[in-house]
Amino acid sequence: MIRIYTQTENGISRTVGLEDQSNRRGDIFWIDLLTPDADELAYAEELCAIEMPTKDEQREIEATSRLYCEDGGRFMTTSVLSRVETDDPIIAEITFILKGKIIITIRHTDSYSFRVFSHQLLRMQDTNRDLVFVGLLETLVDRQADVLERFGTDLDTLSKKIFGTRARRKTGEDDPDTDDLRDALEELGRVGDLITRQRDALVNLLRLITFAGNEDACSGSHDSLYVPLRPVSRDVTSLSEYAAFLSNKINFMLDAVLGLINIEQNDIVKVFTIMSVVFMPPTLIASIYGMNYDWMPFLHTPWGFWLALFLMVLAAVLPLVIFRLKRYI
């Protein structure tokens, strides 16, 4: 799908699809390509006299493949974390192309940030390429900030679930068992993976902003974007620091969960150990009096059987009393 935004006397106008381009009025300043087909790419290439990068080229990880100048245009590709609300979050590539007074965006995944910015743009009276570019980056950064805040909230909820033992005891609730801790471990792994992807996306976005701020070095233009992009760069830097903090918090929580799982398992082993110690002396007494010898102490007395039972009960109760006094149980 191709969306072309133009500046008219009555404000901002948008046309969607190639069939609507005959009705287009005004000066073009933004061409938005969402999963474009061959005809839409050819139309944009002919309109701007540049060659569009393919989907595979957008996924290249080399800096020279993501940030470069060609045919008088500046090509910049970044990655963003998309579909966070779903069970299948993905990393989506977005390419920004600055050519003359036109900005071109190429993406293959629908973006919440682009929808929000396009609604805001249509309510404006006038704009230009630079304002659209900076506005898109600001909206993307705001969206990434919301995603990180959501991750922080999820980690706070998990932290209360893992470390809220005292509060649960006051309310009479049970402490987390091994199954609960395993669920927390899986959730920490999921959030940790998403934060790692988010940090990588923020690094790519910061590289793009740095590259875009030096536009005069590439195109010879004196209208540098360095000053307008400075606040965006600071925001991305602060988000990267916050993402690093969340990563450290996840590592701490992972260690804590593994430690709690070990404690839970040790408690189970302790129960079996205590039971084996408790039943060992009665078993010894029963084994002694079960031996087949002609002469055994108290064997032919009427109260020998009851004495053996008493000794076995005493041998079982005595270790329990000792363990209780030592606070082992």
Side-chain angles (χ1 to χ4, degrees):
M1 179 182 296
I2 183 172
R3 298 184 179 94
I4 296 182
Y5 295 80
T6 58
Q7 177 68 61
T8 66
E9 295 179 356
N10 298 324
I12 307 299
S13 174
R14 178 178 66 183
T15 54
V16 181
L18 293 178
E19 62 277 3
D20 292 339
Q21 300 312 313
S22 58
N23 301 323
R24 188 182 70 240
R25 298 291 184 271
D27 298 327
I28 299 175
F29 62 87
W30 181 18
I31 301 176
D32 184 26
L33 297 170
L34 174 60
T35 58
D37 55 27
D39 293 336
E40 292 171 343
L41 283 175
Y43 177 85
E45 288 178 349
E46 182 180 357
L47 187 65
C48 301
I50 57 175
E51 182 179 356
M52 301 294 178
T54 64
K55 187 176 182 179
D56 292 335
E57 290 174 344
Q58 286 182 274
R59 293 179 176 176
E60 295 289 341
I61 62 175
E62 303 95 328
T64 55
S65 299
R66 285 178 169 257
L67 307 169
Y68 62 94
C69 298
E70 186 178 86
D71 298 330
R74 176 173 291 252
F75 295 74
M76 297 166 286
T77 301
T78 187
S79 303
V80 295
L81 187 61
S82 183
R83 300 179 184 175
V84 181
E85 294 82 3
T86 66
D87 295 331
D88 187 24
I90 62 173
I91 289 291
E93 284 75 23
I94 300 176
T95 297
F96 299 88
I97 305 174
L98 304 181
K99 175 68 180 293
K101 297 181 179 180
I102 299 177
I103 176 174
I104 307 167
T105 55
I106 307 175
R107 50 200 175 95
H108 297 276
T109 302
D110 193 14
S111 173
Y112 173 81
S113 301
F114 275 71
R115 293 197 303 269
V116 170
F117 181 76
S118 63
H119 292 320
Q120 296 174 351
L121 183 64
L122 293 175
R123 293 194 295 266
M124 299 170 60
Q125 291 299 318
D126 56 2
T127 187
N128 55 51
R129 181 205 73 175
D130 293 345
L131 292 179
V132 171
F133 179 59
V134 175
L136 281 172
L137 291 180
E138 289 176 345
T139 308
L140 285 173
V141 171
D142 290 341
R143 177 59 176 168
Q144 303 308 304
D146 294 337
V147 171
L148 283 177
E149 288 176 0
R150 177 179 177 179
F151 292 158
T153 302
D154 292 342
L155 289 180
D156 290 339
T157 302
L158 284 173
S159 179
K160 292 179 181 178
K161 180 179 179 181
I162 296 170
F163 300 110
T165 303
R166 179 173 298 179
R168 280 191 294 269
R169 287 175 178 174
K170 290 181 179 179
T171 57
E173 299 180 16
D174 295 333
D175 292 344
D177 55 15
T178 304
D179 292 335
D180 295 333
L181 294 175
R182 286 176 179 172
D183 294 340
L185 191 61
E186 293 178 359
E187 184 66 15
L188 282 173
R190 184 190 69 84
V191 177
D193 177 65
L194 292 177
I195 290 179
T196 301
R197 297 185 189 183
Q198 183 73 315
R199 292 184 67 183
D200 181 64
L202 290 173
V203 170
N204 290 329
L205 188 58
L206 187 59
R207 290 174 180 171
L208 182 149
I209 293 172
T210 303
F211 185 78
N214 297 322
E215 182 178 4
D216 52 344
C218 176
S219 62
S221 171
H222 297 289
D223 299 328
S224 176
L225 290 170
Y226 175 76
V227 175
L229 288 177
R230 225 171 13 180
V232 185
S233 177
R234 288 197 298 265
D235 290 341
V236 174
T237 302
S238 63
L239 289 180
S240 299
E241 294 174 353
Y242 182 63
F245 163 75
L246 292 180
S247 296
N248 293 332
K249 185 175 181 179
I250 284 180
N251 291 332
F252 165 72
M253 293 176 66
L254 283 173
D255 293 339
V257 170
L258 293 176
L260 291 174
I261 290 177
N262 289 332
I263 292 174
E264 184 75 19
Q265 293 175 344
N266 290 337
D267 289 340
I268 296 174
V269 174
K270 183 176 70 174
V271 171
F272 284 103
T273 302
I274 292 175
M275 295 303 295
S276 63
V277 173
V278 167
F279 286 103
M280 187 182 302
T283 303
L284 178 61
I285 296 174
S287 300
I288 292 175
Y289 278 91
M291 293 185 295
N292 295 321
Y293 288 105
D294 290 336
W295 185 88
M296 290 285 293
F298 317 114
L299 183 61
H300 301 288
T301 58
W303 42 267
F305 170 74
W306 302 107
L307 178 62
L309 285 181
F310 173 76
L311 290 176
M312 286 187 287
V313 172
L314 180 63
V317 172
L318 188 60
L320 288 175
V321 174
I322 295 175
F323 289 152
R324 188 63 178 176
L325 294 176
K326 295 288 188 179
R327 295 185 178 180
Y328 293 154
I329 56 175

